[in-house]
Amino acid sequence: MTTSRTAPSEVVPGRRRRWRYLAGLLVLAVLLVVGGRLAWTWLNPLGEQTVDRSQPVLLESIKDLSRFEAATGNFQVVVDLEKDANFLPDAIKGSRTLFVGAGGVDAYIDFSGMAANGVTVSEDRREATIRVPRAQLEKPNLDNSRSYVFAQERGLFDRVQDFLSGSPGDQRELYLLAEKKILEAAVASDLRARADANTKTMLSGMLKSLGFTKVTVKFIDEP
């Protein structure tokens, strides 16, 4: 009985061919995956395309300003707004939202409120007295890049209602409430007092640069 054996010279080329076939299949699979990924990215059937069809900006009016921006205060508030139903648990009907509102409030002097004799000058033009109005606060200006919803909990009915309305998460009420709280904080702060002091410094420096040696700045409510 004779046993046939495969010579080593015949085995090695066969193994090499199998490895080549396997490597070729792997390369082909990689090329198919990469090509499919590129084709999907290019076609992007589920993607969105943003088209800006806004109309040109229309200039409605121009106003001459006669005021001095004397100081600016930066504020931040966390609005905790909760809405509950009278006879339903919060899991069914109700919501609670934590909103971080950040923005600034400007304090300014309106020089248009000065009287006709608001500025008096001595005969030698060395002394000057000027009476100006007190500082006022501008409406808070919330910074959208720093204002956001931190956390939100909603009941089942609220989720369904938001889904059906097509405009979930309306934040207008949150912004208005944040503006109100920031304005209250600005009124209670020393922002207006700082603006008054800055205005006195600015006017004194400006008039002295014009040659006046003594400058007195008063507010119209001062004796």
Side-chain angles (χ1 to χ4, degrees):
M1 180 177 181
T2 59
T3 303
S4 61
R5 296 182 179 180
T6 304
S9 59
E10 298 178 358
V11 176
V12 174
R15 291 181 178 177
R16 289 179 178 176
R17 283 195 295 270
R18 286 196 295 270
W19 280 110
R20 290 175 182 175
Y21 292 152
L22 181 60
L25 291 175
L26 291 176
V27 172
L28 180 61
V30 171
L31 291 177
L32 289 175
V33 172
V34 174
R37 181 67 179 274
L38 293 176
W40 180 270
T41 304
W42 180 66
L43 296 175
N44 197 11
L46 301 179
E48 295 181 353
Q49 182 179 3
T50 301
V51 179
D52 187 1
R53 293 192 175 91
S54 303
Q55 298 297 319
V57 178
L58 177 63
L59 177 61
E60 294 184 346
S61 63
I62 297 178
K63 294 182 179 179
D64 293 330
L65 298 180
S66 57
R67 66 182 190 179
F68 169 62
E69 301 289 343
T72 299
N74 293 314
F75 299 86
Q76 179 173 299
V77 61
V78 177
V79 176
D80 188 350
L81 183 62
E82 183 175 0
K83 295 182 179 181
D84 297 325
N86 293 331
F87 305 104
L88 295 175
D90 294 341
I92 302 299
K93 177 64 176 176
S95 64
R96 183 179 181 183
T97 305
L98 296 179
F99 177 77
V100 177
V105 178
D106 295 332
Y108 65 94
I109 302 294
D110 187 3
F111 292 117
S112 64
M114 293 178 56
N117 58 347
V119 179
T120 57
V121 179
S122 62
E123 294 183 357
D124 58 358
R125 301 189 62 83
R126 305 298 292 174
E127 298 182 7
T129 301
I130 180 171
R131 292 181 175 273
V132 296
R134 291 280 185 180
Q136 304 178 48
L137 296 180
E138 185 63 272
K139 178 183 177 181
N141 183 22
L142 288 187
D143 186 353
N144 293 330
S145 63
R146 297 190 294 127
S147 302
Y148 57 94
V149 174
F150 177 74
Q152 188 175 41
E153 298 177 357
R154 293 178 295 169
L156 178 61
F157 286 176
D158 297 274
R159 293 178 182 271
V160 174
Q161 183 178 2
D162 289 344
F163 177 77
L164 296 178
S165 65
S167 58
D170 186 9
Q171 299 179 1
R172 176 176 173 80
E173 184 179 6
L174 297 172
Y175 273 84
L176 292 177
L177 188 55
E179 288 180 356
K180 178 182 177 182
K181 292 183 177 296
I182 288 178
L183 181 59
E184 292 174 351
V187 171
S189 69
D190 63 343
L191 183 58
R192 286 180 294 184
R194 177 71 65 85
D196 290 340
N198 291 343
T199 302
K200 283 188 174 183
T201 302
M202 183 274 295
L203 291 175
S204 296
M206 181 181 67
L207 293 177
K208 287 182 179 179
S209 66
L210 297 177
F212 294 96
T213 58
K214 182 179 179 181
V215 178
T216 303
V217 180
K218 292 185 178 181
F219 295 101
I220 56 178
D221 60 348
E222 293 180 338

